[in-house]
Amino acid sequence: MNCGHCTASIEKAIVTIDPHATVTCDLTARSVEVDSALDESALKAAIHDAGYGSERLS
């Protein structure tokens, strides 16, 4: 995740599978915080499908 386009892509991928999710991206820390009712595996899959890796979700 290097730019605003990257964060927008990740946000869109998550909101597509959970319209009620809250997604906060931090470019400096290269991290994404997600508040969602979906399980971690679904969120990781959405991020991966958008073309990004995910090490852990908290």
Side-chain angles (χ1 to χ4, degrees):
M1 189 169 73
N2 298 311
C3 66
H5 182 269
C6 297
T7 60
S9 295
I10 292 171
E11 290 171 359
K12 180 180 177 185
I14 293 172
V15 172
T16 296
I17 63 168
D18 181 0
H20 302 290
T22 301
V23 183
T24 305
C25 296
D26 183 340
L27 281 174
T28 304
R30 298 183 63 153
S31 67
V32 178
E33 184 176 317
V34 179
D35 182 16
S36 172
L38 297 178
D39 63 22
E40 183 175 332
S41 62
L43 297 170
K44 281 185 174 185
I47 293 169
H48 182 266
D49 291 348
Y52 300 92
S54 60
E55 293 178 13
R56 67 181 175 93
L57 296 175
S58 58

